């Protein structure tokens, strides 16, 4: 989108310069076709032109054929719609309505919604605990404002289509505590908030199509593995709608990669569980840490299970988050590396009998760092892969 915005901007400036040049440069062979100087002065009446870098529109602003090089003789003026687009008429008075009285501001990014709320409309005390965006609380606060900064898929935000535009909407609720005395200074309210996004971006090409000399060259492409993470039952089948687990019962997981060579192996570097599908949600319960150390194996029966080089199997004793019921999700970082394990790519279980870490496929020495730090760079360049959901019965 950024590339198309720049392209549109360059195109607009090129057309404007060409048109102005035809109005001002005198030619000895075509003096009769020149426009009067008074009209040229009117055209450039502004000391400078405040043209936008791009125009955001859900429909085309001008007809496509206006930009065809073969249209007309090239000596006439610009079509009126194009002229109004290039040289907008700015109002001499007035302007946008004042927003000085606004108490809620909303800002929409590509995948985030940001809200600012004035503290002054919420009364004294600590109003942040009673103000929510859907199901989410305040992200941060200052002396004058409260802020909500969340992904568009969080907080119960819903999505719909309105007039060919994608709309994400939610409600901002304020439910202050009931006053203890005979008066009150605040009142509950609900404010709808929404982010609108155009579904289409329009771009037109101008100029000519040059003849390109085709050349062949060969480049070795780096193979990128695709990872999949799924919860399984004791028979290693994918879970059905009726499957659920009892507290303390093993929940099995299979991490898989596609198209590995014989000298490669898939490793699970880290895993954590959350009660929501988003990998950035909280709370988070760590299961595998430190580039392949099964941290949960020190306090439970959780462990890595031997399998093929293109898949990693492991089990985690079933659990629930305090005060949270419903679905659980596992989020893992994975890596394809050499088949020989290293301190930053391994599968280590803790043996409670010998009180030492044991590697599943290689030397146990690569596990010696599991109780400290296996690498100074904890942020490995791997994306998070999320599993489908599973449930645990909290009563058993």
């Amino acid at each position: 989108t950024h590339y198309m915005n720049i392209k549109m901007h360059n195109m607009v400036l090129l057309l404007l310069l060409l048109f102005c040049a035809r109005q001002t440069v005198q030619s000895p062979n075509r003096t009769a076709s020149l426009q009067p100087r008074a009209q040229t002065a009117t055209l450039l009446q502004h000391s400078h032109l405040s043209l936008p870098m791009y125009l955001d529109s859900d429909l085309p602003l001008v007809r496509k054929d206006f930009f065809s090089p073969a249209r007309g003789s090239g000596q006439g003026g610009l079509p009126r719609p194009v002229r109004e687009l290039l040289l907008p008429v700015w109002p001499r008075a007035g302007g946008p309505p004042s927003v000085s009285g606004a108490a809620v501001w909303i800002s929409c990014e590509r995948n985030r919604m940001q809200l600012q709320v004035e503290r002054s409309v919420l009364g004294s005390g600590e109003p942040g605990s009673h103000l929510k965006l859907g199901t989410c609380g305040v992200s941060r606060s200052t002396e004058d404002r409260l802020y909500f900064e969340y992904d568009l898929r969080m907080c119960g935000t819903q999505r719909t289509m309105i007039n060919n535009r994608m709309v994400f909407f939610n409600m901002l609720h304020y439910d202050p505590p009931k006053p203890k005395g005979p008066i009150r200074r605040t009142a509950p309210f609900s404010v709808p908030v929404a982010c609108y996004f155009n579904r289409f971006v329009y771009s037109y090409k101008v100029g000519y199509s040059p003849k390109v000399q085709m050349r062949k060259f060969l480049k070795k492409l780096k193979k990128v593995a695709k990872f999949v993470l799924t919860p399984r039952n004791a028979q290693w089948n994918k879970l059905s709608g009726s499957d659920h687990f009892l507290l303390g019962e093993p929940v099995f997981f299979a991490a898989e990669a596609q198209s590995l060579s014989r000298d490669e192996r898939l490793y699970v570097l880290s895993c954590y569980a959350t009660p929501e599908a988003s990998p950035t949600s909280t709370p988070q319960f760590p299961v595998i840490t430190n580039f392949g150390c099964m941290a949960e194996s020190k306090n439970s029966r959780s462990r890595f299970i031997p399998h093929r080089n293109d898949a990693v199997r492991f089990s985690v004793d079933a659990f629930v988050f305090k005060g949270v019921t419903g679905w659980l999700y596992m989020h893992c970082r994975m890596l394809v590396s050499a088949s020989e394990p290293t301190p930053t790519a391994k599968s280590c279980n803790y043996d409670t009998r010998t009180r030492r870490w044991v590697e599943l496929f290689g030397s146990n020495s690569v596990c010696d760092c599991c109780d400290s730090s296996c690498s100074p760079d904890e942020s490995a360049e791997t994306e998070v892969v999320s599993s489908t959901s599973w449930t645990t019965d909290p009563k058993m």
Side-chain angles (χ1 to χ4, degrees), residues 234-253:
Q235 289 73 40
W236 293 104
N237 297 321
K238 294 183 178 180
L239 301 184
S240 63
S242 60
D243 285 330
H244 67 281
F245 299 90
L246 306 179
L247 283 175
E249 183 181 14
V251 184
F252 299 92
F253 295 88

Side-chain angles (χ1 to χ4, degrees), residues 62-333:
V62 294
R63 297 208 320 261
K64 183 178 180 179
D65 59 321
F66 283 155
F67 294 95
S68 174
R71 180 182 173 90
S73 63
Q75 302 299 321
L78 289 174
R80 181 178 178 181
V82 180
R83 182 183 180 87
E84 292 176 352
L85 178 65
L86 296 179
L87 296 174
V89 179
W90 306 108
R92 296 183 178 277
S98 172
V99 295
S100 60
V104 178
W105 291 265
I106 181 171
S107 173
C108 302
E109 297 181 2
R110 185 178 64 175
N111 56 358
R112 289 176 65 83
M113 178 185 293
Q114 298 182 348
L115 266 72
Q116 303 179 34
V117 183
E118 288 283 355
R119 280 183 177 270
S120 58
V121 300
L122 305 177
S124 58
E126 291 296 331
S129 59
H130 307 288
L131 184 67
K132 289 186 177 295
L133 173 62
T135 60
C136 296
V138 174
S139 302
R140 59 187 180 90
S141 61
T142 62
E143 183 178 353
D144 300 320
R145 294 180 182 177
L146 302 176
Y147 296 85
F148 295 86
E149 299 173 349
Y150 288 102
D151 192 282
L152 290 175
R153 298 170 296 179
M154 299 173 63
C155 307
T157 300
Q158 301 182 50
R159 182 180 67 177
T160 187
M161 292 290 300
I162 299 178
N163 296 330
N164 207 29
R165 304 179 80 187
M166 189 74 69
V167 182
F168 294 84
F169 62 95
N170 208 329
M171 293 293 292
L172 180 68
H173 299 282
Y174 181 52
D175 187 16
K178 295 182 179 180
K180 297 180 180 180
I183 65 171
R184 68 176 185 179
R185 299 183 184 276
T186 58
F189 62 79
S190 295
V191 178
V193 293
C195 288
Y196 291 77
F197 297 93
N198 292 330
R199 294 182 65 201
F200 303 102
V201 176
Y202 296 89
S203 176
Y204 306 110
K205 65 178 182 179
V206 296
Y208 66 98
S209 298
K211 184 178 180 181
V212 180
Q213 295 182 354
M214 302 300 294
R215 295 182 180 181
K216 295 182 179 180
F217 65 94
L218 301 177
K219 181 179 180 181
K220 186 176 180 181
L221 300 179
K222 182 179 180 181
K223 182 174 59 180
V224 179
K226 180 180 180 181
F227 303 131
V228 179
L229 177 66
T230 52
R232 306 293 181 97
N233 58 24
Q235 289 73 40
W236 293 104
N237 297 321
K238 294 183 178 180
L239 301 184
S240 63
S242 60
D243 285 330
H244 67 281
F245 299 90
L246 306 179
L247 283 175
E249 183 181 14
V251 184
F252 299 92
F253 295 88
E256 299 170 305
Q258 298 179 357
S259 304
L260 298 191
S261 62
R262 293 182 179 180
D263 58 346
E264 292 180 320
R265 184 180 297 280
L266 174 64
Y267 296 94
V268 176
L269 305 182
S270 64
C271 286
Y272 59 91
T274 65
E276 295 186 18
S278 173
T280 60
S281 61
T282 57
Q284 298 179 357
F285 178 66
V287 175
I288 301 173
T289 61
N290 224 347
F291 299 92
C293 301
M294 179 63 71
E296 261 293 278
S297 62
K298 297 191 73 172
N299 305 308
S300 67
R301 296 172 298 173
S302 303
R303 69 191 191 280
F304 285 109
I305 300 172
H307 198 51
R308 305 188 309 265
N309 68 324
D310 62 345
V312 176
R313 288 181 171 181
F314 61 95
S315 67
V316 178
D317 288 354
F319 63 90
V320 294
F321 287 95
K322 291 182 180 179
V324 179
T325 59
W327 303 105
L328 296 175
Y329 302 83
M330 187 69 72
H331 313 277
C332 298
R333 292 183 182 273

